[in-house]
Amino acid sequence: MERISVQDHRAVYEQICKDYLNLKLLAQNALHDREHLERCKQSIREEVFSCRKLSRVTEFDQLVLLLEQRNLLSLLKPDLMERFALVLDAKDVACALESYRRMLHSKYAAIRRFHLEDLRHRDRRTLLEKEVEKIKLHEANVSPVPSLANTKDDKYLQHRDKIYSLLQLEIGKQWKVFGRFLNVSSAALEEIEERNRTDLKTRIYEVLQCAELQCGNETQDRFDAMLLKALENSRRKDLKRKIERMLQE
């Protein structure tokens, strides 16, 4: 059996990157007026889960960018393009999407590997680097920590497990949206999903760990504020209020 080299796989990946760009351009060119854009926005309204964000979209490329930022549309996840093809009645988009899917499915493992490598490279700083930096900052901090800060940290640690457990139970299928509001990168979310395909609670736990780690050796207040803001942006003010009460105990 003929072996496929890494260079061949890379060539396939580069080609599908071009095809993905072409797919977006075809859909954009099929959109001729404001009404088409509004219909496209309505077709993915439930997935975006933010009327405010959608109301700010005035161009098709902005809509695509919003979907990509929320990891709803990507080189590995082109399915929402099918809705645009139906809404726009664009046969060329539908044909291009069908061809794209065949290529993606036939070489999915190789394409996914190169795609994740590119995402990790784009993120620049890995979680490991941040952990090393956190340790170095901790070792370099020779000044004594004020007793008030110690008291506050101890109090937070007492509630940390309760907060994590609450979020693991309540966040549910919106964990990726929540993760993005916590500034967890798309690459990290992909890796978390890959490691825990059937364990939703562990995904949520690792998202929280990742977000907390990104705060480095900064004050705990920063992570608390980021967590509460992410819950508010995720429209989970009920959870925000519960955690605020926990932190005040």
Side-chain angles (χ1 to χ4, degrees):
M1 183 181 294
E2 183 181 357
R3 296 185 62 182
I4 301 177
S5 67
V6 174
Q7 289 82 358
D8 290 335
H9 279 153
R10 184 73 196 182
V12 170
Y13 173 67
E14 290 174 354
Q15 181 58 51
I16 207 160
C17 287
K18 295 176 183 177
D19 292 344
Y20 178 61
L21 176 59
N22 183 57
L23 193 60
K24 292 190 288 185
L25 290 173
L26 283 173
Q28 182 171 327
N29 291 336
L31 191 146
H32 300 300
D33 53 38
R34 179 79 181 181
E35 182 183 351
H36 279 155
L37 178 61
E38 291 302 319
R39 287 164 63 185
C40 286
K41 287 161 65 174
Q42 288 299 319
S43 71
I44 48 84
R45 183 175 181 176
E46 185 175 339
E47 284 76 12
V48 172
F49 200 63
S50 174
C51 294
R52 181 173 59 86
K53 291 282 187 182
L54 282 175
S55 67
R56 295 178 178 176
V57 172
T58 58
E59 301 290 343
F60 184 76
D61 57 346
Q62 294 173 356
L63 181 59
V64 169
L65 180 60
L66 175 61
L67 294 174
E68 290 178 333
Q69 287 174 339
R70 298 196 167 205
N71 203 29
L72 296 169
L73 178 70
S74 72
L75 183 143
L76 298 177
K77 298 178 180 179
D79 292 342
L80 287 182
M81 280 293 178
E82 185 172 8
R83 296 193 195 176
F84 297 152
L86 291 172
V87 165
L88 300 172
D89 192 24
K91 293 182 180 179
D92 55 343
V93 177
C95 290
L97 178 59
E98 183 179 353
S99 175
Y100 182 90
R101 280 172 167 164
R102 285 198 299 268
M103 172 66 78
L104 179 62
H105 292 161
S106 67
K107 298 288 190 296
Y108 182 81
I111 291 169
R112 182 180 181 280
R113 186 177 76 249
F114 282 112
H115 181 58
L116 291 180
E117 285 177 2
D118 280 356
L119 287 177
R120 282 193 290 269
H121 179 70
R122 204 174 302 156
D123 288 337
R124 296 182 182 178
R125 298 178 67 204
T126 65
L127 293 178
L128 178 60
E129 288 171 334
K130 291 175 184 177
E131 179 65 18
V132 170
E133 181 178 310
K134 181 179 179 181
I135 293 170
K136 288 181 178 178
L137 286 170
H138 178 72
E139 291 175 346
N141 185 14
V142 294
S143 59
V145 180
S147 59
L148 181 61
N150 273 335
T151 302
K152 188 172 183 179
D153 288 344
D154 289 343
K155 186 177 291 187
Y156 175 79
L157 290 173
Q158 291 173 8
H159 298 302
R160 182 178 181 276
D161 288 343
K162 290 183 180 179
I163 291 172
Y164 271 42
S165 296
L166 174 66
L167 294 174
Q168 283 178 282
L169 289 172
E170 298 290 343
I171 292 298
K173 294 180 180 179
Q174 295 297 319
W175 69 278
K176 277 191 177 180
V177 175
F178 179 58
R180 282 188 286 274
F181 282 127
L182 284 171
N183 298 323
V184 178
S185 70
S186 296
L189 290 172
E190 290 279 358
E191 290 178 350
I192 289 170
E193 185 173 31
E194 179 66 20
R195 283 196 301 269
N196 309 285
R197 286 183 174 273
T198 60
D199 193 341
L200 180 59
K201 288 184 179 180
T202 301
R203 291 182 211 168
I204 296 168
Y205 183 86
E206 290 191 10
V207 164
L208 290 166
Q209 275 193 323
C210 181
E212 191 170 7
L213 181 59
Q214 287 179 161
C215 290
N217 205 40
E218 299 179 44
T219 62
Q220 189 60 55
D221 287 341
R222 183 174 183 272
F223 177 66
D224 292 344
M226 184 170 65
L227 180 61
L228 295 173
K229 185 66 175 177
L231 289 170
E232 183 176 349
N233 289 337
S234 302
R235 297 187 177 182
R236 293 307 306 267
K237 292 184 179 180
D238 56 326
L239 291 177
K240 179 186 175 185
R241 287 191 291 269
K242 287 181 181 179
I243 292 176
E244 283 174 333
R245 287 196 294 269
M246 286 182 180
L247 294 172
Q248 290 170 1
E249 290 177 358

